[in-house]
Amino acid sequence: MEKVLFTAFIGTSSELLVQTSNYATLLLPNNKKKDAEKLFSLLQKETFDYIISFGQRANIKNKIHIETTGRNDGNSISTDVDVEYLRDLFMRNGIPAKVSHNSGTSYCNSIYWNGLTYIAKRKLNTKMVFIHIPFSKNIEDMKCFRESIFQTIRALTE
């Protein structure tokens, strides 16, 4: 079985999502510099096959957006996770999913850019993907939503 790390931002629906996970979890403090430092520090100590980062996005309900790209100062870096396959896995597990090319302009994009860049520069055998989920008020049944997410991640990483 693959070794998986979940990241989520403290005080968001992403934290609520991962809090009952059986996967290694890194909670990020919503500070671009500290978020990156926490991730880098962990990656210096442990090896992961997958990093699945979660953040919240406004204006979506009961669905997710799978992000393809992190950006910084006009540069971009893309995930090597097969996002079309991942989207299909989510759909099979009852979660409408969209492939998105806009990971945002703040914390979500920052951790994605920093994580993908760190992995690439060090030639780590780690795949990273960022997934936006709704705000908790836009998730009808968090327990079912969570189980479907976890079931999808298990299918991806087995």
Side-chain angles (χ1 to χ4, degrees):
M1 187 163 165
E2 306 277 352
K3 190 169 178 188
V4 177
L5 171 67
F6 282 171
T7 73
F9 296 97
I10 294 171
T12 69
S13 58
S14 65
E15 179 183 16
L16 294 174
L17 177 77
V18 303
Q19 67 188 178
T20 62
S21 162
N22 290 327
Y23 295 105
T25 301
L26 179 65
L27 295 178
L28 304 170
N30 296 295
N31 175 301
K32 292 177 185 178
K33 185 177 181 195
K34 289 180 182 175
D35 292 345
E37 288 171 354
K38 282 188 80 162
L39 179 60
F40 300 163
S41 177
L42 181 59
L43 293 178
Q44 289 170 3
K45 297 175 200 161
E46 291 189 56
T47 302
F48 297 94
D49 299 296
Y50 283 89
I51 299 171
I52 314 292
S53 292
F54 294 99
Q56 65 184 17
R57 173 171 276 163
N59 302 321
I60 60 174
K61 185 172 182 171
N62 296 317
K63 65 181 175 182
I64 57 104
H65 288 183
I66 305 164
E67 303 301 339
T68 61
T69 309
R71 292 180 172 76
N72 186 31
D73 291 331
N75 298 307
S76 64
I77 187 168
S78 296
T79 182
D80 58 355
V81 170
D82 183 342
V83 294
E84 301 292 333
Y85 173 67
L86 182 56
R87 182 197 62 211
D88 292 347
L89 285 175
F90 275 115
M91 301 288 272
R92 278 187 249 154
N93 284 298
I95 296 185
K98 173 185 172 185
V99 173
S100 168
H101 308 288
N102 179 11
S103 58
T105 58
S106 194
Y107 304 114
C108 298
N109 178 67
S110 178
I111 197 65
Y112 204 22
W113 165 266
N114 284 312
L116 288 171
T117 301
Y118 185 94
I119 290 164
K121 284 185 177 178
R122 285 156 186 82
K123 296 180 174 38
L124 300 180
N125 191 24
T126 302
K127 293 179 183 268
M128 181 178 187
V129 67
F130 194 96
I131 299 170
H132 272 116
I133 67 169
F135 281 74
S136 57
K137 68 181 182 179
N138 290 332
I139 300 172
E140 283 179 29
D141 185 339
M142 178 58 93
K143 184 178 178 186
C144 288
F145 189 81
R146 179 186 294 121
E147 280 308 309
S148 293
I149 295 259
F150 293 171
Q151 188 173 6
T152 301
I153 300 306
R154 280 190 299 276
L156 174 69
T157 60
E158 288 179 341

